[in-house]
Amino acid sequence: MSYLLTTVTPGSPVFPETAALFDEYRIHYGQPTDPATTTEWLSTQLTEGTLNLTTALYDGRPTGFITTVRLPASLRLGTICSIRDLYVTPASRHTGTARALLTQVITEARAAGALRVSLQTEPQNSAALALYTSMGFHQVHDLTTLNLLLTE
């Protein structure tokens, strides 16, 4: 499958379709569909620079995306790249799209001098875990993730 990877901003021609794909991603993870709010939220995150978005296009249509944030690595006085979301449409899975999106992020992070690329996934997501480990990601055993829910 031949596709083009492109950085998406709210002004990009593919932004509306990518926002719709982002809503599809949310539905995939059990959230109710809300195209208008999803589009507004994504636009705000991209405009404020909170989130970066790269989309894979096949025949000009979005088939997958990856979002990242850049965070300070205080102890090392550097930065890290954190992958927040990765989604490929069911029809485009097993085509190399996710690998290409990950490779793009890793290349950009390395070029920007980031110290590492980090991500989280569910322990039962065996397909994602297989992909990530095949690309050199490894589980961090000496850290525990904690959350404080501020809303229900």
Side-chain angles (χ1 to χ4, degrees):
M1 183 176 240
S2 179
Y3 39 83
L4 171 69
L5 302 182
T6 185
T7 300
V8 176
T9 66
S12 300
V14 296
F15 178 75
E17 286 181 277
T18 302
L21 188 62
F22 198 91
D23 194 56
E24 181 181 315
Y25 161 72
R26 294 181 64 253
I27 294 165
H28 175 78
Y29 281 101
Q31 296 300 311
T33 185
D34 191 344
T37 303
T38 296
T39 299
E40 181 182 334
W41 180 87
L42 189 57
S43 178
T44 298
Q45 300 306 308
L46 296 173
T47 300
E48 291 178 354
T50 308
L51 201 61
N52 299 304
L53 173 63
T54 301
T55 297
L57 302 173
Y58 178 71
D59 285 340
R61 299 195 55 120
T63 60
F65 66 82
I66 193 166
T67 65
T68 60
V69 295
R70 190 172 166 162
L71 300 169
S74 305
L75 297 178
R76 300 268 312 272
L77 302 177
T79 60
I80 66 166
C81 174
S82 177
I83 295 170
R84 304 303 304 149
D85 310 286
L86 173 59
Y87 181 72
V88 175
T89 61
S92 297
R93 292 182 186 157
H94 308 289
T95 63
T97 303
R99 184 176 297 277
L101 287 164
L102 285 164
T103 299
Q104 178 79 9
V105 164
I106 293 165
T107 300
E108 289 175 355
R110 189 173 280 124
L115 300 172
R116 70 176 180 268
V117 176
S118 298
L119 56 83
Q120 295 175 320
T121 195
E122 295 80 14
Q124 68 276 14
N125 192 343
S126 57
L129 287 167
L131 171 64
Y132 301 147
T133 56
S134 76
M135 295 187 68
F137 288 87
H138 62 278
Q139 191 171 1
V140 179
H141 294 285
D142 57 346
L143 293 176
T144 300
T145 300
L146 305 169
N147 288 312
L148 171 64
L149 295 179
L150 301 176
T151 60
E152 300 251 351

